[in-house]
Amino acid sequence: KQFLNILLAIQIIQIFSTILSTNTIMSEYENIINHVGRYNWLISSIATILIFMIASKLKNFNLKNLFYISIFFLSCMVIWFSLKNIVDFYSSETRASLYNLDVFRDSAFFLNHQMPRVTGLSRSIIFLYVVTFFLSQNTQWKTRIYLYITLIILGSLIFLYQSKYALISYFIINIIFYFNFLDKKKGRKIIILLFISQIVLFFSLSSSRIIIDNFKSLELQSQNQELNEKKNKEDIRHFRKFENLHKKGIGLAEHIILSGRAELWLKAFDFIKHRPFLGYGSMSDRHLLNKERINNNFLVNPVSNAFIYSFLSGGVFCLFLFLLFWWNLKKRILTLIDIKYISNNYE
């Protein structure tokens, strides 16, 4: 109840801040249709919170069912968009990593909306990876084989997408898994075999572009074959690019580690200091921080920090409630990463 009430209060604050933002600099960035569209996430969030509130009051209703439903839809999303990314990865004849695919390619849109970026998909995959690993340690052997195969596929996608924070999370959770195994030898064996299988599958997917290109070259006309053969001589890049010709020293280090987020965070505080109590409403970071990118039809970058976003969109009151939410959640997080606790309470 406490968690849900805090989250509901955050959404209500953002509704008022979005309404009042029409009298701020936001009016220069949006028309009426764009303004109405900013309520989409708030309505979705409130609807989800109300579903949990109503479900908690129903007799003989197990709240775990909502969790299973969420896992199902999250899995469908990951499968569908991962398949689209992999198909584009092969059909584009790119020599770069999948991470560096053009986000504005025609096939990167679904129902007239941009597909989730690989960084967002990677976070979803990490979540599914944790859940699947927990389940694999509390099931019969036959079921466990299928779950291990799922872990191999999910892990290979993490390496294929190459989101820095997903990769860091991957290694951290594996360390946590290892130290929570009662039988360390067994745990070490499972984690190492999974890691090797995931790496092998990743390199197989990345390298198989050569085979696909060879099949395509047979169907090309002679004048195009020369171009294709020249392209085949280019080295395949299995890993994403980190270099930036416009940055050096500390700027380059920040680009490699934070991918330019520090600049966005500093820019966000320039707006926050002018409206610290009410903020600019839902999704305001997409407009305030990306004026030049929107004008040039470039990819829009969100602020990429939940705490700064809550401050920018809902003001200091929204930030306080968000911090309160995480403060109350900290013990639950520490419990959730304990496999022994899950093992003892799974049944």
Side-chain angles (χ1 to χ4, degrees):
K1 276 188 177 181
Q2 186 179 22
F3 294 153
L4 292 173
N5 289 335
I6 292 174
L7 291 176
L8 182 61
I10 290 174
Q11 306 309 315
I12 292 174
I13 289 175
Q14 290 210 0
I15 286 179
F16 284 106
S17 63
T18 304
I19 293 173
L20 297 175
S21 69
T22 55
N23 298 320
T24 69
I25 192 175
M26 280 299 298
S27 60
E28 301 177 10
Y29 295 89
E30 61 181 4
N31 53 33
I32 295 177
I33 295 177
N34 292 333
H35 178 77
V36 172
R38 289 205 286 143
Y39 294 95
N40 173 56
W41 295 105
L42 296 175
I43 294 173
S44 299
S45 299
I46 291 174
T48 303
I49 294 169
L50 292 177
I51 287 174
F52 274 91
M53 286 183 165
I54 294 172
S56 65
K57 295 183 180 297
L58 296 177
K59 293 182 178 180
N60 301 322
F61 184 85
N62 191 345
L63 281 174
K64 287 183 180 179
N65 292 333
L66 295 178
F67 173 75
Y68 298 139
I69 293 172
S70 301
I71 290 295
F72 171 76
F73 282 106
L74 187 64
S75 301
C76 291
M77 182 190 74
V78 168
I79 293 171
W80 174 255
F81 290 118
S82 292
L83 286 175
K84 286 183 67 68
N85 280 328
I86 292 174
V87 169
D88 292 346
F89 186 51
Y90 287 127
S91 60
S92 64
E93 298 184 357
T94 180
R95 290 303 191 188
S97 66
L98 192 149
Y99 181 90
N100 296 112
L101 282 178
D102 183 11
V103 294
F104 288 112
R105 64 189 188 277
D106 293 337
S107 54
F109 290 82
F110 179 70
L111 299 178
N112 292 325
H113 288 275
Q114 193 176 28
M115 279 171 41
R117 303 184 197 179
V118 293
T119 50
L121 278 177
S122 296
R123 288 191 287 269
S124 299
I125 292 171
I126 283 290
F127 181 78
L128 293 176
Y129 193 94
V130 173
V131 173
T132 306
F133 199 102
F134 278 138
L135 294 177
S136 69
Q137 303 308 306
N138 296 276
T139 56
Q140 296 180 351
W141 176 246
K142 290 183 179 179
T143 305
R144 192 175 301 178
I145 293 176
Y146 293 108
L147 293 175
Y148 282 152
I149 294 174
T150 302
L151 287 172
I152 292 172
I153 296 173
L154 292 174
S156 65
L157 288 176
I158 293 172
F159 289 110
L160 191 64
Y161 288 161
Q162 297 177 30
S163 167
K164 291 193 297 288
Y165 296 99
L167 287 170
I168 293 172
S169 300
Y170 168 84
F171 287 108
I172 290 176
I173 62 177
N174 274 291
I175 292 172
I176 294 172
F177 288 152
Y178 172 72
F179 283 108
N180 279 280
F181 267 104
L182 296 177
D183 186 344
K184 293 292 189 293
K185 184 178 180 180
K186 176 184 176 182
R188 184 165 58 249
K189 181 179 178 181
I190 291 173
I191 291 173
I192 291 175
L193 287 176
L194 284 174
F195 175 75
I196 294 174
S197 301
Q198 291 158 0
I199 291 294
V200 169
L201 182 56
F202 155 63
F203 274 108
S204 298
L205 288 171
S206 185
S207 300
S208 59
R209 286 174 286 175
I210 298 175
I211 301 174
I212 301 296
D213 284 349
N214 288 336
F215 278 112
K216 288 181 179 179
S217 65
L218 296 175
E219 301 176 359
L220 293 175
Q221 298 178 357
S222 58
Q223 63 270 21
N224 292 328
Q225 286 182 358
E226 295 180 2
L227 177 62
N228 196 65
E229 289 173 3
K230 181 179 179 181
K231 192 168 187 178
N232 281 339
K233 294 180 181 178
E234 299 177 13
D235 293 333
I236 284 181
R237 297 183 65 122
H238 297 288
F239 305 102
R240 57 181 286 192
K241 296 184 294 185
F242 287 100
E243 64 267 17
N244 189 314
L245 299 177
H246 304 288
K247 296 181 181 293
K248 295 181 180 179
I250 297 177
L252 180 60
E254 187 275 328
H255 170 75
I256 294 175
I257 299 173
L258 297 175
S259 302
R261 288 179 174 85
E263 183 178 347
L264 290 172
W265 298 341
L266 292 174
K267 192 174 181 180
F269 278 104
D270 289 337
F271 290 98
I272 289 172
K273 65 184 181 182
H274 295 295
R275 199 173 171 84
F277 295 103
L278 294 175
Y280 297 88
S282 172
M283 309 295 288
S284 55
D285 59 326
R286 271 72 170 172
H287 298 278
L288 296 175
L289 307 181
N290 293 276
K291 183 177 181 180
E292 294 181 2
R293 300 182 71 88
I294 292 174
N295 292 337
N296 295 317
N297 197 31
F298 287 167
L299 184 67
V300 174
N301 290 323
V303 71
S304 294
N305 185 301
F307 299 96
I308 296 178
Y309 173 77
S310 64
F311 202 177
L312 179 67
S313 60
V316 66
F317 303 109
C318 190
L319 174 62
F320 171 78
L321 288 173
F322 192 62
L323 290 171
L324 181 63
F325 172 81
W326 279 101
W327 177 259
N328 288 321
L329 198 63
K330 69 181 189 305
K331 290 183 179 179
R332 296 290 184 91
I333 294 176
L334 294 176
T335 301
L336 284 173
I337 64 177
D338 190 339
I339 290 183
K340 292 192 291 291
Y341 174 86
I342 296 295
S343 300
N344 293 334
N345 291 272
Y346 180 74
E347 294 183 357

